[in-house]
C-alpha cells in the first residue's frame, strides 16, 4: 500500500528493525502509531510517565515492574527501536524460522522470552533473583491478600524450589530449569503479533 | 480362571434377580395393578402378611436394575487386565447384550429398553451436570472459539453431508434389499402401511436369519432364530422408502458427537488437555445444534417437501440461535440462582449440597419445557455456579457435592451403556440393510475426518497454538456417537418415517461401532501416534508464580501496545467478575481469601506434610524422628512442612477466641478441576479417607464413648465442657509422663508448657469452643458450623498423620481438641482485634511460617529452647537465620 510504505519511511531504520524483530511492516506501523500516541508531546522517546498514562496499566499489579523493564538501567527514556525490541519478545515463535548461527538469538525464542521474564524479577540486573526481588514481585501480585510473613514463606519456598546451587538466589539457568515444563512459547506470546 | 468363575457366578446371580422380575412384569402387565383391594376383599380374616408385588412393582424394578447395572460395573472393574485394553463403556454394552439375551430368553420379548423419556429425563441430566460442574473453566473458555466452530459448523456439516450422501447413494441404488422383520402376532391382520400387505407375510418367515450365511446359522442364539409364535412380515426386495428430508433428519440425529460416550472413552485415555477439551466441549455444545436440526427436519418431514420455503428455513436458523443461546442463558440464570442460594445456607448446611442437584435439574427441565437446549442449559448452570458454590458452601458440603455428583453421573452412565446393550436384543427393531448400515458407518467416519481437518485448517490460521496434525486425527477418530443419537432415533415418529426401525438399527450399529470398536482402538492409536498426553498438573510454586506473572505481563503488554487481545478481554472479565459478580454471589467471608496463588502454596505445603508423614510412617516412627540422618528427599521444603506437619503442637498454642477461623476455600481453583485430573483428585480423596481413617483410629476416646445423639439437621458435636476438660487434663498428664520417660535429651521448655496450659484453660473458660469434636469419633470432619468446618478438619487431619508417624501414643490424645482450635495466623489476623497484641503474639507463636523457620534453625543448632520466646518479636532477626530445619516431629517433643 502506498500510504503505509510512505509511513514506513517515517520510521527510522524500519528495515533493520523489521529484520531484527521479525515484525511485518503492518505490525511495525501499528506499533509506531501506538508509540506516537503514547508519546504525547512528540519527544521521540517515551518516559515512564508516558506509560503510566495508560489507564489499564495503572490497575495492573505488576504494571510498574513491566514499565521498568522497558528502560535499560540508568536510562530515563526509551526510543522506538528499543520499544519494538522489547515488544518483539511477545511475538509467537515461528516453527520454521531458519536460524543461521551468526544471528543472535531472536527475542521471541523461548530463551528470549524467558530472559525478559527473568528481568522482570531481576531489577538490579545482577543475573540473580534475590529473595528481596522475588518478594517485591510477590508483594505486588498478591496485593493485600496475604500477610508479610506469608509472602516471605512463599518467596522462601519459591527460591528453594528453583535454587539448585543453594546460594539463596535464582540464577537465570535455575530459573530456566524450574520453568522447563512450562510452555513458554504459549504463555509469553501475544496473538495479534503473529 | 477365577475371573471366569466370578463372571459365571455373577451371571447366575443376576439371572436369579432378573428373571423372576421380568417374568412377573410380563405377567402383571396384563392385569390391572390399580386395584390392590380387590383380592383382599375375598379374605375373611386379617392377613398376617401378604405378597403385594404390583404395589411395589415399578420402584422395585428400577431399584433392581440400578443394582444389576452397578453389579455389572463391579464385575467389569474387578478384571483389571481387561479394562486396560477395552474401555469400560464397551464392556458395559456387552454386559447389556448378555442381560438382554437373558430377558429375551425369559420373556420372548424385550421388556426393558432404553426409552427416550427415561434417558433424557432421568439418566442424562446428572452426567451433563457433572460435566459442567467439573468443567475446567479457564481451559474451556480459552478454547471456546474453536469448540463452537466444531460444535456448530462441524455438526451441521456432519448432518448435511451424511444425509445428502445417503440420499445420493439411495438414488444411485446402493441400498439394495432390506430384510425387514415386522412382527405380527398370530392371527392379527396387521395393517402394514405403504408397500406392506398382510398377504406378503409368509407363515413362519425368518427375520435377520436369512441374511446370516448358512455356516453361521448354528451360532445364532436361539432367541434370535425365528420363533413359531410370531408371524413375521418379510419385506420384499426393493428400495427402502426414505426421502431426502428423512435422510437429513437421520443425518442430524447421527451428527452429534455424544458427551457420554466421549467422556467414558477419553477419561481412560489421558490425552493433552486442549485436545480433550476440544472433543469434549464440542460434544457438549453440539447439543444445541442437534436439537435444532432434529426439530427443524422433523418439522420439515411433517410439513412435507412442498411446503418448505425460504421463510421456514429462516425460521429454522433463528430457532437455532434461540434454542442455543436461550438454553445457555437459562442455565446461566439458574447457575446464578444456585450461587445466590448457597450464599445464605449457613443455617441449613445439611441440605445445602442438594441445591445444585435440584436447581440443575430444574434448569434442565425448564429448558426442555421451553423447548430450548436442555443440555446446554444444565452445562452452563454447572459451569457458572461451580466457583461461587464451592466458595460459599462449607468444605464438607463441597466434598459432598463432588462425590454425590460423581456417584450420580457414573451410575447413570453405567446404566445408559448397559441399557444400550439390552436394547439391542430386540428382534422387533432389527432391520438389516447392509448397504445402508455400511454406508452410514463409512460416511460418518469420512465426513468427520474431512470436517475436522477442514475446520482445524481454518482455526489454525488464527490460533496462537495450532492444533497439531496428530491431534486432528484423534479428534476425528474420537467422534463417538452414543445414547443421545439412539434416544433421538427412538423418538422418531413411526407414522411419518416408515423406516424408523432401520434408522434405529443403524443408529445402534453406529453406536456400537464407535463405542466398542473405536473406543477399543483409540488407546493404542493414541500410543502409537504418540499423542501428547496430559501434561503434569502438579505445578511447583514457582511455576504457578510465574504463570501468574506471565498473565499480568501479557495484559500489560497488550495495554502498552494498544491492542485489544484475548488477554485484555480476559483481564477485563476477571476484573468485572471480581468486582461485581463475586461481590454479589459470594459470601463476604469467602470473598476475602481467594487468592489462587496462595491457595496453591498452601496446598503444596499440605501435600509435603502428608508426604513427610507418610515417609515417617514407612521408615518407622521414632527412629525416623530421632535419627537426624534418616532424612529423606523432601525437596528441601522442610520449614514449610513443619508448619503443616505439626499442627498438633501449634494447636495447643493457637488461639481460640471464640472465633471461627475464616473459611478455607476449595483449595483446587476452578481452573484445575480438570476432568483429566480425576485420578489426581482421586488421590487426594484417598488421602482424605486415609487420614480420616487414621483419625478414627487414634482419636482420643472419651469415657462416654458413643454419645450419639441422632439429629437430622446436625452432625453431632461433643460440646460437653466437662468432658472436654477431662480430656484435656488426662492428655496433658499423659503427655508429660511420656515426655519425662522418653524425649531426646532436650530439656522441656517449661515456659511453653505453662503457656500451653494457660492457653488451654483460657480456652475452657472461653466456652465457645464449638469445635471440640474430638470426643465424637464419628464426625470429626463434620461439624455443623460452616465457618469452622474446613479449617478444623484440615489441620486436624494433618495433625493426625503426624501423630501417627510418631507413634507415640502420648501425643495423640490431645491433638484434636486443640488442633481444631487452630487458626492459621494469617487467616486469623482479621478477626483478632479484640485480643491484646502481646497475648496474640504468644498465642500465635509457632504458627507463623517465619517463626517456624527460625525455630527450626534453633533446633538444628541445639540452642536453648528458651529462645522460643524470641518469637514474640517476630520481625527481628528473621533474615539472618538459615532455613534448614530438623525433622519436624522432634519439635513435637520440645514444645511439651
Amino acid at each position: 500500500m502506498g500510504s503505509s510504505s510512505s509511513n514506513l519511511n517515517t520510521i527510522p531504520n524500519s528495515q533493520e528493525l523489521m529484520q531484527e524483530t521479525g515484525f511485518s511492516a503492518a505490525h511495525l506501523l501499528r506499533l509506531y502509531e501506538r508509540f506516537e500516541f503514547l508519546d504525547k508531546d512528540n519527544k521521540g522517546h517515551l518516559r515512564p510517565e508516558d506509560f503510566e498514562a495508560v489507564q489499564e496499566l495503572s490497575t495492573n499489579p505488576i504494571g510498574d515492574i513491566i514499565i521498568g523493564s522497558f528502560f535499560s538501567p540508568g536510562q530515563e527514556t526509551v526510543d522506538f527501536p528499543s520499544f519494538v525490541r522489547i515488544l518483539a519478545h511477545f511475538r509467537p515463535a515461528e516453527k520454521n524460522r531458519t536460524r543461521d548461527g551468526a544471528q543472535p538469538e531472536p527475542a521471541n525464542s523461548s530463551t528470549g522470552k524467558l530472559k525478559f521474564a527473568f528481568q522482570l524479577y531481576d531489577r538490579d540486573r545482577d543475573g540473580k533473583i534475590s529473595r528481596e526481588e522475588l518478594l517485591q514481585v510477590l508483594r505486588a501480585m498478591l496485593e493485600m491478600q496475604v500477610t508479610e510473613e506469608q509472602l516471605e514463606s512463599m518467596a522462601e519456598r519459591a527460591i528453594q524450589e528453583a535454587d539448585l546451587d543453594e546460594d539463596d538466589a535464582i540464577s537465570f539457568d535455575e530459573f530456566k530449569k524450574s520453568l522447563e515444563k512450562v510452555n513458554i512459547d504459549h504463555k509469553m506470546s501475544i496473538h495479534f503479533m503473529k | 480362571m477365577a475371573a471366569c468363575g466370578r463372571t459365571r457366578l455373577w451371571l447366575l446371580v443376576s439371572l436369579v434377580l432378573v428373571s423372576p422380575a421380568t417374568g412377573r412384569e410380563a405377567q402383571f402387565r396384563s392385569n390391572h395393578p390399580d386395584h390392590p383391594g380387590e383380592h383382599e376383599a375375598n379374605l375373611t380374616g386379617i392377613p398376617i402378611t401378604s405378597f403385594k408385588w404390583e404395589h411395589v412393582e415399578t420402584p422395585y424394578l428400577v431399584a433392581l436394575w440400578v443394582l444389576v447395572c452397578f453389579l455389572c460395573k463391579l464385575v467389569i472393574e474387578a478384571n483389571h487386565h481387561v479394562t486396560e485394553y477395552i474401555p469400560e463403556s464397551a464392556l458395559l454394552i456387552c454386559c447389556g447384550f448378555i442381560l438382554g439375551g437373558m430377558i429375551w430368553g425369559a420373556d420372548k420379548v424385550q421388556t426393558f429398553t432404553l426409552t427416550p423419556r427415561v434417558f433424557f429425563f432421568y439418566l442424562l441430566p446428572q452426567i451433563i451436570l457433572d460435566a459442567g460442574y467439573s468443567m475446567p473453566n479457564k481451559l474451556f473458555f480459552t478454547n471456546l472459539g474453536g469448540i463452537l466452530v466444531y460444535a456448530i459448523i462441524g455438526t451441521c456439516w456432519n448432518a448435511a453431508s451424511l444425509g445428502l450422501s445417503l440420499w445420493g447413494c439411495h438414488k444411485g441404488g446402493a441400498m439394495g434389499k432390506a430384510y425387514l422383520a415386522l412382527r405380527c402376532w398370530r392371527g392379527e391382520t396387521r395393517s402394514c402401511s405403504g408397500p406392506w400387505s398382510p398377504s406378503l407375510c409368509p407363515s413362519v418367515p425368518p427375520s435377520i436369519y436369512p441374511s446370516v450365511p448358512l455356516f453361521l446359522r448354528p451360532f445364532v442364539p436361539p432367541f434370535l432364530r425365528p420363533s413359531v409364535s410370531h408371524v413375521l412380515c418379510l419385506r420384499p426386495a426393493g428400495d427402502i422408502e426414505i426421502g431426502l428430508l428423512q435422510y437429513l433428519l437421520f443425518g442430524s440425529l447421527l451428527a452429534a458427537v455424544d458427551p457420554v460416550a466421549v467422556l467414558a472413552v477419553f477419561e481412560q485415555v489421558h490425552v493433552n488437555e486442549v485436545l480433550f477439551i476440544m472433543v469434549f466441549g464440542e460434544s457438549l455444545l453440539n447439543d444445541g445444534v442437534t436439537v435444532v436440526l432434529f426439530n427443524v427436519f422433523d418439522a420439515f418431514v411433517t410439513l412435507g417437501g412442498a411446503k418448505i420455503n425460504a421463510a421456514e428455513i429462516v425460521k429454522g436458523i433463528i430457532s437455532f440461535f434461540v434454542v442455543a443461546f436461550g438454553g445457555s442463558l437459562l442455565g446461566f440464570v439458574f447457575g446464578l440462582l444456585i450461587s445466590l442460594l448457597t450464599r445464605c445456607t449457613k443455617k441449613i448446611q445439611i441440605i445445602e449440597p442438594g441445591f445444585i442437584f435440584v436447581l440443575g435439574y430444574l434448569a434442565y427441565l425448564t429448558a426442555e419445557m421451553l423447548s430450548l437446549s436442555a443440555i446446554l442449559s444444565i452445562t452452563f448452570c454447572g459451569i457458572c455456579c461451580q466457583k461461587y458454590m464451592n466458595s460459599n458452601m462449607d468444605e464438607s458440603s463441597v466434598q459432598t457435592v463432588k462425590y454425590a455428583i460423581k456417584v450420580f453421573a457414573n451410575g447413570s452412565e453405567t446404566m445408559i451403556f448397559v441399557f444400550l446393550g439390552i436394547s439391542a436384543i430386540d428382534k422387533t427393531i432389527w432391520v438389516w440393510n447392509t448397504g445402508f448400515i455400511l454406508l452410514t458407518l463409512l460416511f460418518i467416519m469420512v465426513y468427520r475426518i474431512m470436517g475436522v481437518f477442514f475446520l482445524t485448517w481454518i482455526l489454525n490460521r488464527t490460533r496462537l497454538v495450532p492444533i497439531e496434525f496428530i491431534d486432528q486425527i484423534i479428534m476425528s477418530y474420537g467422534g463417538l456417537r452414543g445414547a443421545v443419537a439412539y434416544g433421538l432415533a427412538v423418538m422418531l415418529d413411526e407414522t411419518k418415517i416408515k423406516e424408523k426401525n432401520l434408522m434405529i438399527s443403524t443408529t445402534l450399529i453406529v453406536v456400537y461401532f464407535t463405542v466398542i470398536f473405536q473406543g477399543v482402538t483409540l488407546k493404542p492409536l493414541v500410543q502409537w501416534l504418540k499423542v501428547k498426553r496430559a501434561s503434569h498438573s502438579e505445578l511447583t510454586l514457582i511455576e504457578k508464580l510465574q504463570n501468574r506473572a506471565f498473565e499480568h505481563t501479557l495484559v500489560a503488554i497488550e495495554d502498552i501496545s494498544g491492542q485489544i487481545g484475548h488477554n485484555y478481554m480476559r483481564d477485563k472479565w476477571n476484573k468485572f467478575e471480581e468486582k461485581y459478580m463475586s461481590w454479589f454471589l459470594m459470601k463476604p467471608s469467602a470473598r476475602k481469601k481467594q487468592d489462587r496463588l496462595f491457595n496453591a502454596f498452601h496446598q503444596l505445603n499440605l501435600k509435603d506434610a502428608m508426604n513427610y508423614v507418610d515417609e515417617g510412617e514407612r521408615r518407622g516412627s521414632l527412629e525416623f524422628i530421632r535419627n537426624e540422618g534418616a532424612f529423606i528427599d523432601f525437596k528441601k521444603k522442610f520449614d514449610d512442612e513443619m508448619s503443616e506437619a505439626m499442627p498438633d503442637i501449634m494447636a495447643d498454642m493457637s488461639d481460640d477466641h471464640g472465633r471461627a477461623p475464616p473459611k478455607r476455600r476449595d483449595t483446587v481453583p476452578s481452573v484445575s478441576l480438570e476432568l483429566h485430573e480425576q485420578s489426581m483428585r482421586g488421590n487426594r480423596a484417598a488421602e482424605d479417607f486415609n487420614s480420616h481413617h487414621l483419625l478414627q483410629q487414634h482419636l482420643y476416646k472419651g469415657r462416654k464413648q458413643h454419645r450419639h445423639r441422632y439429629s437430622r439437621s446436625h452432625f453431632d458435636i461433643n460440646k460437653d465442657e466437662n468432658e472436654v476438660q477431662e480430656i484435656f487434663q488426662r492428655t496433658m498428664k499423659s503427655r508429660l509422663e511420656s515426655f519425662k520417660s522418653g524425649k531426646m535429651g532436650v530439656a522441656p521448655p517449661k515456659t511453653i508448657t505453662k503457656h500451653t496450659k494457660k492457653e488451654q484453660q483460657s480456652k475452657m473458660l472461653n466456652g465457645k469452643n464449638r469445635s471440640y469434636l474430638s470426643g465424637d469419633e464419628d464426625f470429626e470432619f463434620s461439624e455443623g458450623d460452616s465457618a469452622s468446618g474446613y479449617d478444623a478438619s484440615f489441620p486436624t487431619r494433618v495433625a493426625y498423620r503426624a501423630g501417627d508417624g510418631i507413634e507415640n501414643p502420648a501425643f495423640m490424645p490431645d491433638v484434636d481438641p486443640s488442633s481444631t482450635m487452630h487458626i492459621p495466623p494469617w487467616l486469623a489476623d482479621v478477626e483478632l482485634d479484640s485480643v491484646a497484641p502481646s497475648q496474640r503474639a504468644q498465642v500465635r507463636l509457632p504458627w507463623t511460617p517465619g517463626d517456624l523457620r527460625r525455630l527450626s534453625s534453633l533446633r538444628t543448632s541445639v540452642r536453648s529452647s528458651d529462645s522460643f520466646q524470641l518469637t514474640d518479636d517476630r520481625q527481628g532477626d528473621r533474615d539472618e537465620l538459615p532455613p534448614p530445619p530438623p525433622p519436624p516431629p522432634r519439635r513435637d517433643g520440645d514444645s511439651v
Side-chain angles (χ1 to χ4, degrees):
Chain A
M1 274 177 280
S3 65
S4 77
S5 67
S6 69
N7 261 334
L8 205 56
N9 292 334
T10 63
I11 306 172
N13 303 328
S14 55
Q15 291 309 319
E16 289 85 25
L17 267 180
M18 276 161 63
Q19 187 82 35
E20 187 187 331
T21 60
F23 279 121
S24 69
H27 278 134
L28 209 60
L29 266 176
R30 208 169 343 152
L31 291 178
Y32 192 65
E33 275 165 21
R34 181 66 182 174
F35 184 83
E36 285 185 320
F37 172 79
L38 291 175
D39 183 16
K40 288 278 187 297
D41 26 323
N42 289 321
K43 303 179 293 288
H45 55 75
L46 297 178
R47 309 172 64 81
E49 303 89 83
D50 296 319
F51 285 105
E52 277 150 23
V54 180
Q55 242 266 302
E56 289 88 353
L57 214 50
S58 56
T59 61
N60 194 317
I62 57 170
D64 291 343
I65 298 174
I66 288 160
I67 293 173
S69 69
F70 275 82
F71 300 93
S72 352
Q75 272 195 309
E76 289 291 296
T77 60
V78 57
D79 56 357
F80 182 65
S82 322
F83 180 73
V84 173
R85 272 182 215 117
I86 300 280
L87 290 180
H89 288 294
F90 295 92
R91 222 163 51 80
E94 299 94 341
K95 252 187 200 157
N96 45 2
R97 187 185 169 110
T98 48
R99 270 187 51 208
D100 37 10
Q103 244 179 4
E105 184 95 11
N108 64 344
S109 72
S110 59
T111 315
K113 287 173 196 289
L114 264 181
K115 273 209 174 97
F116 183 81
F118 185 76
Q119 278 170 13
L120 289 182
Y121 295 96
D122 185 21
R123 304 292 285 282
D124 58 5
R125 312 269 160 117
D126 65 347
K128 276 184 188 322
I129 302 175
S130 70
R131 182 187 304 257
E132 201 39 54
E133 285 166 341
L134 189 63
L135 256 177
Q136 277 182 6
V137 178
L138 262 175
R139 200 175 292 139
M141 282 202 295
L142 290 167
E143 286 166 343
M144 308 312 286
Q145 309 215 30
V146 286
T147 61
E148 192 64 25
E149 285 93 2
Q150 284 200 286
L151 282 179
E152 281 177 23
S153 68
M154 286 178 83
E156 173 74 39
R157 176 168 183 135
I159 287 188
Q160 284 181 347
E161 275 175 356
D163 188 15
L164 300 173
D165 56 5
E166 293 176 15
D167 61 349
D168 211 21
I170 304 175
S171 68
F172 180 67
D173 286 334
E174 288 164 351
F175 185 70
K176 194 173 172 183
K177 189 139 182 60
S178 70
L179 295 179
E180 64 187 354
K181 286 180 188 151
V182 178
N183 194 334
I184 305 294
D185 265 351
H186 298 174
K187 303 255 173 180
M188 279 283 276
S189 296
I190 290 180
H191 190 233
F192 59 80
M193 292 188 180
K194 198 172 179 177
Chain B
M1 269 168 85
C4 193
R6 231 179 301 159
T7 317
R8 218 170 281 158
L9 181 72
W10 165 79
L11 277 180
L12 200 70
V13 170
S14 44
L15 195 68
V16 170
L17 280 175
V18 170
S19 9
T22 55
R24 281 201 202 98
E25 135 92 5
Q27 191 189 329
F28 282 111
R29 206 170 241 197
S30 47
N31 49 16
H32 264 277
D34 299 341
H35 313 288
E38 212 169 46
H39 50 93
E40 279 164 33
N42 301 335
L43 295 170
T44 47
I46 297 167
I48 292 175
T49 182
S50 56
F51 183 74
K52 293 190 281 187
W53 163 250
E54 56 269 52
H55 188 58
V56 295
E57 182 183 337
T58 316
Y60 203 89
L61 283 176
V62 170
L64 266 186
W65 270 116
V66 174
L67 178 69
V68 168
C69 293
F70 284 10
L71 288 177
C72 286
K73 186 155 177 138
L74 189 87
V75 172
I76 286 168
E77 283 302 321
N79 299 308
H80 259 304
H81 45 283
V82 180
T83 45
E84 212 168 288
Y85 301 104
I86 305 173
E88 198 185 281
S89 44
L91 289 172
L92 284 172
I93 289 183
C94 296
C95 267
F97 289 153
I98 299 167
L99 286 175
M102 291 192 303
I103 297 164
W104 185 271
D107 276 9
K108 298 281 177 264
V109 64
Q110 193 48 269
T111 332
F112 304 97
T113 52
L114 188 57
T115 59
R117 190 178 171 78
V118 169
F119 172 69
F120 283 114
F121 282 179
Y122 305 120
L123 293 177
L124 189 60
Q126 54 266 47
I127 297 181
I128 309 295
L129 182 65
D130 171 50
Y133 177 71
S134 38
M135 177 69 78
N137 275 355
K138 190 177 169 191
L139 192 62
F140 178 74
F141 285 108
T142 316
N143 293 296
L144 188 62
I147 292 172
L148 282 176
V149 167
Y150 290 118
I152 297 171
I153 305 178
T155 309
C156 288
W157 157 256
N158 283 349
S161 58
L162 177 64
L164 289 174
S165 313
L166 281 177
W167 182 69
C169 292
H170 183 184
K171 287 283 161 200
M175 294 303 174
K177 272 189 189 178
Y179 293 99
L180 276 185
L182 178 68
R183 191 183 58 206
C184 313
W185 292 101
R186 190 196 290 281
E188 181 191 12
T189 332
R190 179 152 179 167
S191 56
C192 303
S193 51
W196 302 86
S197 75
S199 63
L200 281 172
C201 291
S203 54
V204 185
S207 52
I208 317 174
Y209 206 51
S211 62
V212 178
L214 271 176
F215 65 94
L216 282 178
R217 286 190 189 185
F219 300 106
V220 173
F223 61 87
L224 275 181
R225 287 182 194 158
S227 128
V228 224
S229 65
H230 303 128
V231 176
L232 294 150
C233 288
L234 185 68
R235 171 82 186 265
D239 275 345
I240 40 179
E241 202 188 339
I242 304 180
L244 173 62
L245 283 174
Q246 288 162 342
Y247 271 121
L248 285 173
L249 179 60
F250 179 65
S252 69
L253 71 85
L254 265 186
V257 178
D258 185 74
V260 185
V262 164
L263 205 56
V265 170
F266 273 73
E267 227 170 30
Q268 302 185 346
V269 191
H270 299 274
V271 294
N272 63 69
E273 47 199 15
V274 174
L275 176 55
F276 176 78
I277 202 74
M278 282 289 183
V279 179
F280 180 55
E282 178 199 343
S283 71
L284 275 178
L285 296 196
N286 64 18
D287 175 69
V289 184
T290 317
V291 168
V292 173
L293 283 180
F294 186 80
N295 287 343
V296 165
F297 284 118
D298 201 34
F300 282 173
V301 169
T302 318
L303 281 175
K307 288 192 193 142
I308 299 168
N309 50 30
E312 298 296 328
I313 294 172
V314 170
K315 268 202 263 175
I317 295 172
I318 294 174
S319 99
F320 161 72
F321 286 102
V322 174
V323 166
F325 288 100
S328 315
L329 197 70
L330 191 74
F332 190 68
V333 170
F334 269 91
L336 294 188
L337 203 63
I338 296 175
S339 314
L340 264 182
L341 274 175
T342 50
R343 216 190 128 159
C344 32
T345 48
K346 201 179 167 198
K347 296 266 164 27
I348 51 158
Q349 247 175 48
I350 216 79
I351 57 165
E352 120 192 300
F355 280 111
I356 183 176
F357 296 103
V358 175
L359 282 171
Y361 195 50
L362 276 180
Y364 187 89
L365 292 181
T366 314
E368 197 70 45
M369 181 175 74
L370 302 173
S371 62
L372 302 173
S373 166
I375 293 187
L376 280 181
S377 169
I378 200 168
T379 305
F380 278 96
C381 177
I383 288 179
C384 168
C385 74
Q386 54 170 243
K387 176 178 173 187
Y388 307 109
M389 217 181 75
N390 286 350
S391 43
N392 279 341
M393 291 196 314
D394 180 51
E395 181 59 26
S396 52
S397 305
V398 173
Q399 292 301 333
T400 311
V401 169
K402 278 184 184 162
Y403 286 110
I405 211 166
K406 289 279 171 229
V407 171
F408 284 130
N410 218 313
S412 53
E413 186 189 277
T414 310
M415 297 197 63
I416 285 171
F417 284 119
V418 170
F419 272 91
L420 266 182
I422 292 176
S423 305
I425 314 296
D426 184 0
K427 262 197 285 187
T428 54
I429 59 161
W430 279 107
V431 177
W432 191 267
N433 183 322
T434 316
F436 187 81
I437 290 170
L438 286 184
L439 280 173
T440 308
L441 275 178
L442 177 77
F443 288 143
I444 281 181
M445 283 295 286
V446 169
Y447 290 125
R448 168 89 187 163
I449 293 172
M450 283 167 66
V452 165
F453 274 78
F454 179 66
L455 292 176
T456 316
W457 179 71
I458 294 177
L459 280 175
N460 272 352
R461 297 163 72 93
T462 58
R463 272 180 74 89
L464 184 60
V465 188
I467 297 169
E468 284 167 31
F469 178 73
I470 289 172
D471 287 1
Q472 297 175 38
I473 294 177
I474 299 298
M475 277 180 75
S476 327
Y477 202 70
L480 308 177
R481 310 317 203 258
V484 172
Y486 172 73
L488 289 176
V490 175
M491 270 168 37
L492 290 174
D493 187 353
E494 206 163 355
T495 56
K496 284 184 281 185
I497 294 147
K498 311 255 163 31
E499 306 289 355
K500 179 185 171 185
N501 280 346
L502 177 61
M503 290 186 178
I504 295 179
S505 325
T506 313
T507 310
L508 275 178
I509 295 283
V510 168
V511 170
Y512 297 149
F513 180 80
T514 53
V515 171
I516 299 178
F517 179 73
Q518 295 190 12
V520 171
T521 46
L522 190 68
K523 205 172 182 181
L525 191 69
V526 164
Q527 277 159 359
W528 181 62
L529 289 175
K530 299 196 178 62
V531 175
K532 243 192 264 160
R533 297 307 191 87
S535 53
H536 75 125
S537 45
E538 278 178 294
L539 295 172
T540 54
L541 181 67
I542 192 156
E543 282 173 303
K544 295 242 187 217
L545 176 68
Q546 194 49 48
N547 279 342
R548 172 77 72 94
F550 283 148
E551 275 169 30
H552 288 310
T553 314
L554 290 188
V555 176
I557 295 295
E558 283 193 0
D559 290 338
I560 287 173
S561 53
Q563 306 280 343
I564 295 181
H566 299 169
N567 300 298
Y568 177 84
M569 303 295 278
R570 190 192 304 154
D571 189 51
K572 280 275 167 245
W573 163 254
N574 283 343
K575 290 225 168 82
F576 168 79
E577 202 261 2
E578 223 159 85
K579 210 167 170 187
Y580 300 105
M581 292 184 59
S582 295
W583 171 80
F584 185 54
L585 299 170
M586 262 193 211
K587 276 184 199 167
S589 59
R591 216 159 48 229
K592 268 181 210 151
K593 304 282 170 200
Q594 51 167 333
D595 192 274
R596 285 211 317 257
L597 198 54
F598 180 70
N599 284 335
F601 171 64
H602 190 72
Q603 200 58 36
L604 285 169
N605 282 344
L606 281 180
K607 211 165 67 195
D608 287 345
M610 293 218 188
N611 288 341
Y612 189 90
V613 171
D614 283 346
E615 191 68 8
E617 279 169 18
R618 201 163 62 71
R619 298 256 173 143
S621 60
L622 280 172
E623 199 51 40
F624 170 65
I625 316 161
R626 288 189 181 140
N627 183 4
E628 196 105 357
F631 232 172
I632 5 139
D633 47 332
F634 253 147
K635 304 180 202 154
K636 44 186 178 156
K637 298 157 204 156
F638 305 133
D639 57 342
D640 294 327
E641 287 151 23
M642 210 173 296
S643 61
E644 300 296 344
M646 303 182 303
D648 40 358
I649 333 162
M650 313 292 161
D652 284 345
M653 293 149 218
S654 77
D655 41 0
D656 166 52
H657 300 281
R659 267 297 312 161
K663 186 162 156 33
R664 273 251 313 98
R665 75 208 29 288
D666 177 20
T667 41
V668 182
S670 53
V671 191
S672 58
L673 264 186
E674 297 176 30
L675 292 156
H676 287 26
E677 282 181 13
Q678 300 286 22
S679 57
M680 204 189 95
R681 282 200 275 148
N683 288 341
R684 260 184 42 212
E687 275 165 21
D688 287 354
F689 281 126
N690 238 342
S691 40
H692 193 258
H693 180 67
L694 284 173
L695 272 173
Q696 285 201 331
Q697 280 189 330
H698 296 289
L699 268 177
Y700 173 81
K701 293 192 171 55
R703 280 213 182 128
K704 296 172 228 170
Q705 282 230 335
H706 286 280
R707 261 193 332 159
H708 218 130
R709 275 163 296 182
Y710 173 75
S711 156
R712 194 162 289 163
S713 56
H714 293 289
F715 288 125
D716 200 7
I717 300 161
N718 188 354
K719 284 180 185 149
D720 188 336
E721 300 248 325
N722 290 332
E723 190 175 330
V724 172
Q725 183 88 38
E726 190 204 302
I727 293 171
F728 166 69
Q729 281 169 355
R730 281 217 259 157
T731 52
M732 282 315 289
K733 215 165 130 195
S734 66
R735 256 187 162 200
L736 286 171
E737 297 282 311
S738 85
F739 182 73
K740 276 181 225 153
S741 60
K743 267 329 197 177
M744 354 51 174
V746 182
K750 286 196 179 123
T751 44
I752 296 300
T753 317
K754 212 167 101 198
H755 168 73
T756 316
K757 239 173 193 165
K758 199 177 80 197
E759 261 315 294
Q760 285 280 7
Q761 268 145 11
S762 77
K763 232 185 309 183
M764 300 292 123
L765 294 173
N766 207 327
K768 274 197 182 177
N769 24 25
R770 104 181 80 27
S771 26
Y772 274 99
L773 5 142
S774 60
D776 185 337
E777 294 83 4
D778 294 307
F779 295 118
E780 312 82 27
F781 284 153
S782 44
E783 321 144 70
D785 191 304
S786 78
S788 55
Y790 190 69
D791 307 52
S793 62
F794 228 125
T796 311
R797 172 170 72 224
V798 178
Y800 251 91
R801 312 213 69 181
D804 195 70
I806 298 159
E807 278 187 10
N808 186 340
F811 296 120
M812 313 277 174
D814 65 333
V815 159
D816 16 70
S818 39
S819 68
T820 46
M821 235 46 20
H822 134 71
I823 304 169
W826 55 91
L827 298 180
D829 260 359
V830 205
E831 318 293 352
L832 285 170
D833 303 336
S834 58
V835 189
S838 65
Q839 187 192 353
R840 169 182 159 194
Q842 276 183 332
V843 158
R844 296 174 40 188
L845 120 166
W847 248 97
T848 46
D851 292 337
L852 256 190
R853 195 184 336 129
R854 195 142 53 107
L855 289 175
S856 59
S857 63
L858 292 176
R859 283 264 44 81
T860 18
S861 59
V862 203
R863 268 199 265 157
S864 159
S865 347
D866 286 342
S867 42
F868 261 88
Q869 282 167 328
L870 286 175
T871 39
D872 264 352
D873 49 346
R874 230 172 288 110
Q875 301 303 330
D877 49 344
R878 185 171 298 111
D879 285 338
E880 67 200 34
L881 287 160
R890 270 189 72 158
R891 301 190 53 250
D892 233 344
D894 297 345
S895 71
V896 177

